[in-house]
Amino acid sequence: MHAAARRDLSSARRVRSGHRSSHLGTRHLQAVRRADLRCTMHQSIGKIQFNQGNLSAAGSDFQSALSEFEALGEQVGAAQCTRMLGAVRRCQGDYDSAKTLLTAALEALTRLGSRLDLANCHWSFGQLYRDQGRTREALASFESARDIYEALGRQATSPFATR
């Protein structure tokens, strides 16, 4: 990580931890925004890479975003990236790693109450189970995702859509 990015993350951690002093003014809030933007950029680029089949690059971008979200204490963003890494591992045929990552994401998203992300996680589990030929589990996961999407007033779409 570049020195400027490390400084931004350090400032962001201080601001998010409630440390408010006179020297944490506009400059530090801008650092937080830059750090948030970097996380989101890595995540968005990872989605594009994933959709284009560039799994290694997608995994690298999701891992970068995950590390930065964790450094900022952004639990939802970190859980999203964990799910995305699970999807990459699934596509690479590493089903055990995929299941471990998806399980961690599902637990975090359930605890955090992020319902759309939770639906996306169920969708990813459905894809994993489908790829493994576990039809019953796949169907249950896809139905769970559909139910949450419908409760949110959304149609089921790919969780990797780049909106």
Side-chain angles (χ1 to χ4, degrees):
M1 186 181 301
H2 298 299
R6 279 194 300 276
R7 281 192 307 275
D8 288 350
L9 287 173
S10 175
S11 293
R13 279 193 295 270
R14 285 192 307 242
V15 169
R16 291 185 192 241
S17 69
H19 185 314
R20 304 262 192 251
S21 66
S22 59
H23 72 281
L24 287 178
T26 304
R27 186 183 68 189
H28 292 284
L29 291 176
Q30 290 171 343
V32 171
R33 288 187 190 108
R34 285 191 304 267
D36 282 342
L37 180 60
R38 267 195 310 280
C39 296
T40 303
M41 287 173 45
H42 280 296
Q43 193 176 32
S44 295
I45 291 168
K47 287 179 182 180
I48 293 168
Q49 296 285 10
F50 183 89
N51 288 334
Q52 293 180 341
N54 301 325
L55 299 178
S56 180
S60 178
D61 281 309
F62 291 143
Q63 186 61 57
S64 293
L66 173 61
S67 297
E68 291 191 19
F69 276 127
E70 287 176 336
L72 288 172
E74 288 289 340
Q75 295 177 30
V76 172
Q80 290 170 342
C81 290
T82 301
R83 179 190 61 81
M84 293 173 197
L85 282 168
V88 168
R89 298 299 179 264
R90 174 191 61 82
C91 290
Q92 293 171 328
D94 185 356
Y95 298 134
D96 290 337
S97 178
K99 184 174 181 181
T100 299
L101 289 162
L102 292 174
T103 299
L106 185 69
E107 290 170 356
L109 294 166
T110 299
R111 180 176 36 80
L112 296 167
S114 181
R115 293 183 61 206
L116 178 58
D117 293 311
L118 187 60
N120 292 342
C121 198
H122 282 290
W123 183 276
S124 293
F125 262 112
Q127 293 176 309
L128 172 66
Y129 293 141
R130 180 202 58 212
D131 289 358
Q132 293 177 310
R134 297 168 59 182
T135 306
R136 189 179 331 214
E137 292 101 328
L139 184 58
S141 292
F142 285 133
E143 287 174 345
S144 293
R146 182 200 59 210
D147 292 347
I148 297 169
Y149 289 134
E150 288 177 354
L152 294 172
R154 293 177 167 249
Q155 290 184 345
T157 60
S158 170
F160 284 93
T162 52
R163 296 166 218 197

